[in-house]
Amino acid sequence: MNAAPRIQTTAGRLAALGFADGARAERLLDELGPEAVGDLALLDDLVGAADPDLALTTLSRLVERDPSVLGTFRADPDLRRRLLGVFGLSAALGEHVVRHPECLPSIQWTRWPALGDLREEMLLAVGADPETAEPVAEPAAGGVTAGPGAPGPAMEALRVAYRNRLLHLATRDVTGECTLAEVAAALADLASAALEAALAIARAEVADAGDVRLAVIGMGKCGARELNYISDVDVVFVAEPKEGVDETKALQTATRLAQGMMRACSASTPEGALWEVDANLRPEGKMGPLVRSMESHLAYYRRWAKTWEFQALLKARPVAGDLELGQQYVAAVNELVWQAAARPKFVEDVQSMRRRVEAHVAAGEADRQIKLGPGGLRDIEFAVQLLQLVHGRSDPLLRRRATLSALAALSRGGYVGRDDAKALAEAYAFLRQVEHMLQLHRLRRTHVVPADTADLRRLGRGLGMTTDPVGEFTTTWKRHALEVRRLHEKLFYRPLLQAVARLPETEARLSTAAATARLEALGYADPEGALRHIAALTSGVSRRAAIQRTLLPVMLGWFADAPDPDAGLLGFRQVSDKLGTTPWYLRLLRDETAVAERLAHLLGTSKYVTGLLLHAPEAVAMLGSPAELAVRPAATLAAEAAAAVGRHAEDAETAVAAVRALRRRELLRTACADLSGLIDIEEVGQALSSLNDVTIQAALDTAINKVTLERRAPFPTRMAVIAMGRLGGLESSYASDADVMFVHAPLPGAAERDATGAAHAVAEETRRLLALPAPDPPLQIDAGLRPEGRQGPLVRTIASYRAYYDRWASHWEAQALLRARFCAGDAELGREFVALVEPLRYPAGGISAEAVREIRKLKARMEAERLPRGADPALHTKLGRGGLSDVEWVAQLIQLRHAGAVPALRTTRTLDALRAAAGEGLLDPADEEVLAQAWLFASRIRDALMLVRGRAADSIPTPVKERVLLARALGYPPEGTEDFVEDYRRATRRARAVVERVFYED
């Protein structure tokens, strides 16, 4: 064959032109015949398609079905270009054309019909009267008279007519003849027309359909006229009886109509289905009635609706059925929509909505989700809708349904910066275009960017990226996603800076009232105060103010997500005032996002952390990484404390002040790690107890040095400090005093009286130094558990302890000694003391039955007498039912009875004792788990109370705000406060049942 006059159709040349499989393309072109092979214009249009191989494959199938197509293409190049453009994007629409080649003339339509014309077209297709939407006696296209629920000719005709118009729209879309907004609006109008036709099908199946007025309210993208190619169509149904008709009967009829309409759209037929009609946005969702009267709708929204339901109603629009009733419905609910931001739980609902958005992303899809993933469409839509709810109350110009028009209105009103609005609009348009192309391919509902290279190539080429389709598409997509996420975080807050800071007036500013409304809506209880802090931080032309203007838009969002946004912003201002001139501080926050985010969370959660930071603001630097917040080994801290004491050997107060500063820093490190979820409550207790050991050791060394210098003689005795209580159990809390006993042993040749006097002076000085007024938290030394209590000597010799315990020790003292351990001073003496009390706390044969009865009586008396007046026993973490004391006394009674024979029970720690008891068969493992859970929960609450409030407390607070802050610090969502209280009640109730059985019964 002489191929000179035609293009070289070798596989290599075709591959170079854009075909993925050049050899197959060559074969298919040859099969089309000589005229097609030599048609350069046809080849150009194929190569210009998003997927040339897919376009050629579909064309080949169409020509096989109807050979006249090639002649039609030559006669109408515009038709060819349009159709091949669609074939290269949509295998599903290509399949439709192959099945229905008679639809080709519809592609030649150039004008998109008005909504009324579309409705008429769809109604005629299903055999209904366009004037009345009622079935006619001899319907066109096969009629609407199939049996109830059975797919009939009318349903098939509806699908064919719908896809013909969808094909028409796609040809205009791929050739750039209409904008994204026009395409989305056309899709919504087409869906509206299809719903009207489906309702006509339902009327043919439902007796007494004329007794009721039924309005179909479009929601979501359908209501906003920004629909996708394939999407669930969200609707709400509202009905009213015709005059003289019983309302109950009318609603039953309307429900059957609604069900029939939904089935007419979603039922599977030989022509497939249209889409699902989703009515789950109705009051009460799936659990509520499918159809309600107007009065029932309004009653629900006035009393029960949550903020997200009003957010959904922003899009409400009548789309089918009785449009007059639909308009009345929309007008009525709009009055409620624009008051939603004033509702009491608006802020909590907003935060809950954010979490709902993120929670709906399937595992493993977040980085490819263009709708729900970070930087996706929902980020833009959520931000725009929230701003509409906040500011639309006072500005009717913001009351728009479609996202892009609402965003433009927000920009014109100064609620969003012009540049930000432009960037968001561009990103939204890009993401929606990608979404449309993803769905066009198979006419399936999807929002996930595929990983397959061929699919990415089709997307890139469909967007006009021909040099490196995959690389260009991926880069552009990620750039838009990052920009959307950045703007989503900044959108609410940047205008607040412009409202209060003296910045160049490059665009409209929020009024003070609008800024206040926005802050209040986002959770700031004192928006006027917040604006003052923002102004103080960002006003001026200094480098510091410039960096703050960069930081604050993001940090304000993090504060808003924290339990107490106002406290977070105030703390940030205070810390910034102290460190603002320090060169590394703002640079660290600007360059290390994790540091700034963690700082915002901590300041907005914990007054305790804020207080520690204000006295040591340079400690912000430790927030840089989890490694910086790791608990430091006790040996390292001890060496640092000893060095501090050594540097100030001549001045005891200065020496201990340095040690207390070290303790403050480590308290801050532990609290930050705790609130960041890096350590659990047992590790917190261990860390705080070890830190207290180090602090006591350093203070003891300082006191001994001072007393020795004052005496001008060698120190005459050895001293040890014995930890008791929670310190002894390595279970210290942030608010714990240090329960201790002091013991000494005179050195050989020293007079006991002289040695005792020196030891007493050291003990008193140790207590004084650790309790001195200072910026650093004090460590109160409590020696009340010593023999004879507060009436007995502060310090005893080990011989005196032995004599006392041999003769006078009571059951409660043996019980208290279960937690005794050496913590500071002379280690050998500490071991001697521990060995001394071993037989007392771990009696060889266990304690007597009489001793058990005495312990039980003491516990019962303590429950009756020591609980503070007015305290709720169910909510007091220490002395309440199932609280810390209950659990600890169970563990201690088991130890007193069995530790003499069971070495595993010889521990000062509560949970270790319970675990050992369960392991040795002395406690049911299920009971051990119940007790441990209650103890851990109560311990977490006690620590959280100190962290949140900055002062100690034992009871779950009564005020709602304090409970919310506490619950949030413990990881509960804003709406989870009652869940938190109920969880605690449940845990302690179960623990108390175990206590009643194990402690009080034999």
PDB file of all heavy atoms in Angstrom, residues 149 222 334 595 766 770 968:
ATOM      1  N   GLY A 149     -43.583  -0.087  42.486  1.00  0.00           N
ATOM      2  CA  GLY A 149     -42.250  -0.539  42.860  1.00  0.00           C
ATOM      3  C   GLY A 149     -41.494  -1.231  41.766  1.00  0.00           C
ATOM      4  O   GLY A 149     -40.288  -1.430  41.872  1.00  0.00           O
ATOM      5  N   CYS A 222     -27.435  20.149  45.813  1.00  0.00           N
ATOM      6  CA  CYS A 222     -28.608  20.283  44.958  1.00  0.00           C
ATOM      7  C   CYS A 222     -29.339  21.585  45.282  1.00  0.00           C
ATOM      8  O   CYS A 222     -29.714  22.342  44.383  1.00  0.00           O
ATOM      9  CB  CYS A 222     -29.532  19.079  45.134  1.00  0.00           C
ATOM     10  SG  CYS A 222     -31.035  19.147  44.130  1.00  0.00           S
ATOM     11  N   ASN A 334     -35.682  29.967  57.201  1.00  0.00           N
ATOM     12  CA  ASN A 334     -34.617  30.971  57.117  1.00  0.00           C
ATOM     13  C   ASN A 334     -34.606  31.885  58.327  1.00  0.00           C
ATOM     14  O   ASN A 334     -33.544  32.346  58.765  1.00  0.00           O
ATOM     15  CB  ASN A 334     -34.763  31.795  55.835  1.00  0.00           C
ATOM     16  CG  ASN A 334     -34.074  31.136  54.660  1.00  0.00           C
ATOM     17  OD1 ASN A 334     -33.293  30.196  54.834  1.00  0.00           O
ATOM     18  ND2 ASN A 334     -34.358  31.604  53.458  1.00  0.00           N
ATOM     19  N   VAL A 595       5.803  23.560  68.025  1.00  0.00           N
ATOM     20  CA  VAL A 595       6.000  24.298  69.273  1.00  0.00           C
ATOM     21  C   VAL A 595       4.832  25.250  69.503  1.00  0.00           C
ATOM     22  O   VAL A 595       4.254  25.310  70.597  1.00  0.00           O
ATOM     23  CB  VAL A 595       7.326  25.078  69.250  1.00  0.00           C
ATOM     24  CG1 VAL A 595       7.496  25.888  70.534  1.00  0.00           C
ATOM     25  CG2 VAL A 595       8.494  24.122  69.068  1.00  0.00           C
ATOM     26  N   THR A 766      15.330  22.344 106.770  1.00  0.00           N
ATOM     27  CA  THR A 766      14.917  21.741 105.502  1.00  0.00           C
ATOM     28  C   THR A 766      13.475  22.134 105.181  1.00  0.00           C
ATOM     29  O   THR A 766      13.147  22.526 104.040  1.00  0.00           O
ATOM     30  CB  THR A 766      15.033  20.208 105.577  1.00  0.00           C
ATOM     31  OG1 THR A 766      16.398  19.852 105.827  1.00  0.00           O
ATOM     32  CG2 THR A 766      14.570  19.552 104.280  1.00  0.00           C
ATOM     33  N   LEU A 770      12.269  24.834 101.993  1.00  0.00           N
ATOM     34  CA  LEU A 770      11.396  24.373 100.911  1.00  0.00           C
ATOM     35  C   LEU A 770      10.034  25.061 100.904  1.00  0.00           C
ATOM     36  O   LEU A 770       9.274  24.933  99.937  1.00  0.00           O
ATOM     37  CB  LEU A 770      11.200  22.859 101.001  1.00  0.00           C
ATOM     38  CG  LEU A 770      12.454  22.032 100.688  1.00  0.00           C
ATOM     39  CD1 LEU A 770      12.199  20.553 100.924  1.00  0.00           C
ATOM     40  CD2 LEU A 770      12.904  22.265  99.248  1.00  0.00           C
ATOM     41  N   ARG A 968     -12.471  18.469  79.162  1.00  0.00           N
ATOM     42  CA  ARG A 968     -11.649  18.689  77.971  1.00  0.00           C
ATOM     43  C   ARG A 968     -10.192  18.343  78.251  1.00  0.00           C
ATOM     44  O   ARG A 968      -9.499  17.753  77.401  1.00  0.00           O
ATOM     45  CB  ARG A 968     -11.760  20.143  77.511  1.00  0.00           C
ATOM     46  CG  ARG A 968     -13.127  20.567  77.006  1.00  0.00           C
ATOM     47  CD  ARG A 968     -13.443  19.987  75.637  1.00  0.00           C
ATOM     48  NE  ARG A 968     -12.429  20.298  74.643  1.00  0.00           N
ATOM     49  CZ  ARG A 968     -12.329  21.460  73.996  1.00  0.00           C
ATOM     50  NH1 ARG A 968     -13.205  22.428  74.237  1.00  0.00           N
ATOM     51  NH2 ARG A 968     -11.389  21.659  73.106  1.00  0.00           N
TER      52      ARG A 968
END
